[in-house]
Amino acid sequence: MLTRTLVALAFATAATAQPTVESAWVELGAEGKIIARAVTMQSRCPKIKIAGTGSRRMAVRAASTPPDYAVLSCEAVIPAGARSAAIAGQPLTLPKKEPRTIAVFGDTGCRLKGDAVQACNDPTAWPFPAVAARIAAMHPDLVVHVGDYLYRETACPVGQNCAGPFGEKWDVWNADFFAPAAPLLRAAPWVMVRGNHEDCQRAGEGWFRFLDAGPRPA
């Protein structure tokens, strides 16, 4: 009986399981548009559950294109006035009508460019993870990033405390922005601004896949 129960439970869990997400957040677009975004390594987008409208699968914003972008970028519009929303069971923080506490910052990536080397694995030399966690603990109403998310342009020199990915690909976006910003992405809605690091010759591909609030251009 116990074996049959465990097997039945396993089948039920598999049938209802949500695709896991690497990151999920809310950002604001033009004219008050509220946008939910998610990044997943699964073959389909997760479902978003919005109070008052039920559950639906998020739309694909950008398909997986290995090896550099072996992730799906997904999105959904949240109706104004929605009381709550969650992606794959992870609650989202929705915008307040009149935000009063606003965090503003930019130039958050870890510098790796030729001889300009920052110790990305040293929290003192690259404090963005600690700064993001500290701001998240303050529960701001809104976060504004004024641009320049990626700085890891060249390989870490041998012997330096900065080993990790570099270039323009998901692993770099995750290391330079999504992983360190994770607690703050959960804590508040964001306004994402495009910096000169996100131009078309540098990190524009990731910018339009993940962060730009408008429709993704061809």
Side-chain angles (χ1 to χ4, degrees):
M1 176 64 72
L2 178 59
T3 301
R4 288 197 297 270
T5 301
L6 291 175
V7 169
L9 180 60
F11 275 115
T13 302
T16 59
Q18 286 282 324
T20 57
V21 296
E22 304 301 309
S23 185
W25 68 97
V26 170
E27 64 180 85
L28 304 184
E31 299 178 353
K33 190 176 184 180
I34 306 170
I35 306 161
R37 290 273 170 82
V39 180
T40 180
M41 290 186 177
Q42 303 299 310
S43 61
R44 58 178 182 168
C45 286
K47 288 185 177 181
I48 183 170
K49 185 175 183 181
I50 303 172
T53 64
S55 178
R56 69 180 188 274
R57 196 164 300 282
M58 301 179 76
V60 175
R61 176 175 175 83
S64 174
T65 56
D68 290 344
Y69 286 98
V71 291
L72 276 177
S73 177
C74 307
E75 64 183 353
V77 175
I78 298 177
R83 298 188 307 277
S84 64
I87 293 176
Q90 177 180 315
L92 300 172
T93 303
L94 301 182
K96 294 183 178 180
K97 187 175 181 180
E98 295 183 2
R100 297 182 180 277
T101 306
I102 303 173
V104 183
F105 52 76
D107 297 276
T108 51
C110 183
R111 171 73 76 184
L112 292 179
K113 186 176 182 179
D115 294 333
V117 176
Q118 197 170 359
C120 304
N121 301 324
D122 183 340
T124 301
W126 185 49
F128 178 49
V131 170
R134 183 175 179 181
I135 297 174
M138 298 169 68
H139 303 289
D141 297 332
L142 181 68
V143 173
V144 180
H145 195 304
V146 298
D148 293 355
Y149 306 78
L150 258 61
Y151 276 80
R152 303 182 192 217
E153 297 182 67
T154 58
C156 177
V158 176
Q160 297 289 333
N161 188 21
C162 54
F166 64 94
E168 158 66 302
K169 53 187 177 181
W170 160 249
D171 287 348
V172 180
W173 275 95
N174 192 39
D176 239 9
F177 178 68
F178 287 104
L184 191 49
L185 287 168
R186 292 190 296 267
W190 287 56
V191 170
M192 307 288 193
V193 180
R194 186 182 185 185
N196 69 300
H197 284 219
E198 290 73 54
D199 65 16
C200 292
Q201 288 73 41
R202 197 168 185 174
E205 172 72 13
W207 164 258
F208 285 111
R209 278 178 174 268
F210 304 126
L211 301 183
D212 185 76
R216 184 177 176 228

